[in-house]
Amino acid sequence: MPSTGTTRARATLTALALTAALAGTVTATASPAAARTSYARYVALGDSYASGAGVPDQIDTACTRSSRNYPSLVSAALAPTARADVTCGGATTAHMTTTQTGSGGPQFDALTADTDLVTLTIGGNDIGFADIIVRCATLGLFSPNGAPCKSSYTKSGVDQLAAKIDATAARIAATLDGIRQRSPGATVLVTGYPAILPDNGTNCFSTVSIAKGDAPWLRDTEKHLNAVIAAQAAGHGARYVDTYTPSVGHDACKPTGTRWLEPLFASGAAPFHPNAAGEQSMATATLAAAG
């Protein structure tokens, strides 16, 4: 008979495979605060954190898009005359101008000259979000008190994830410039990513099989990505939306009802993605930035 540890490892690896598949394709809510500024034409761009992967109800299964994703909540609060939500799970910066499998075409096709509000969540898939989660959670099973994932990404003496994030800066900049070219009068709001793991650097191995030494490194890696996104927003005429700070204390290690991001064995969202409360928090931060 398999041991408890073996059974858990098999279940974890199965769940990780499903996580990777979701990222490649694919609780209470409160009304967002009313925004002061009026917008007529709103376009939402981005990846699964914007599409609301796994959050009920999924209205576009190919793009894992939810009727309660943060763009839907922003739209409900602002009531624009026209709205286009083309967010899609698995999207990278390349899918702004190229067709993603399962989508209706390049996301930039939704932009028009009179678009006056654009939201964007992008960058996580450019650095290989799904691969990072699968690698770190798998290696953690075999070295729970070490830092096996950090070691695997830094064995050459260079932090490969940090290098990928730095390389993504130019692609985010080009994306922002592309939005400006197509919609020159738009207010562009670029979100960061909310806290996936505890901000204090601890882990919760029984819930998420991230090793003790990897947790603070992964936290810092996410903060690095957010900092790069913020810098590109500032340098390319966009407003950065901090979704990390409000989410501290609501990471995937927290219990149901407190967490805004789901752990590996998820309910109410895709693994390691915002649930309905997380999407609400992103909407609230976005509306505050909209003015």
Side-chain angles (χ1 to χ4, degrees), residues 118-122 168-177 179-180 186-192 224-242 289:
V118 178
T119 57
L120 173 68
T121 303
I122 207 71
T168 298
R171 295 195 287 273
I172 295 172
T175 296
L176 294 172
D177 290 344
I179 293 171
R180 184 62 60 206
T187 295
V188 182
L189 307 178
V190 187
T191 77
H224 182 188
L225 175 59
N226 281 339
V228 165
I229 294 170
Q232 296 312 306
H236 293 267
R239 300 177 192 172
Y240 177 68
V241 180
D242 176 13

Side-chain angles (χ1 to χ4, degrees), residues 74-177:
V74 167
S75 182
L78 297 176
T81 304
R83 166 190 178 244
D85 182 352
V86 292
T87 57
C88 195
T92 67
T93 52
H95 296 124
M96 300 301 106
T97 55
T98 63
T99 299
Q100 179 182 359
T101 301
S103 71
Q107 291 193 22
F108 274 2
D109 285 358
L111 297 171
T112 60
D114 58 353
T115 297
D116 57 1
L117 177 65
V118 178
T119 57
L120 173 68
T121 303
I122 207 71
N125 293 318
D126 286 77
I127 68 168
F129 173 75
D131 291 341
I132 296 165
I133 291 296
V134 170
R135 183 190 294 199
C136 291
T138 301
L139 291 175
L141 290 169
F142 303 100
S143 182
N145 292 313
C149 200
K150 178 181 179 181
S151 296
S152 75
Y153 278 111
T154 60
K155 61 184 177 182
S156 64
V158 174
D159 188 326
Q160 296 173 34
L161 289 189
K164 284 184 177 182
I165 290 169
D166 291 339
T168 298
R171 295 195 287 273
I172 295 172
T175 296
L176 294 172
D177 290 344

Side-chain angles (χ1 to χ4, degrees), residues 20-42:
L22 273 169
T25 59
V26 213
T27 288
T29 60
S31 299
R36 294 186 298 273
T37 305
S38 175
Y39 294 99
R41 296 186 177 275
Y42 169 38

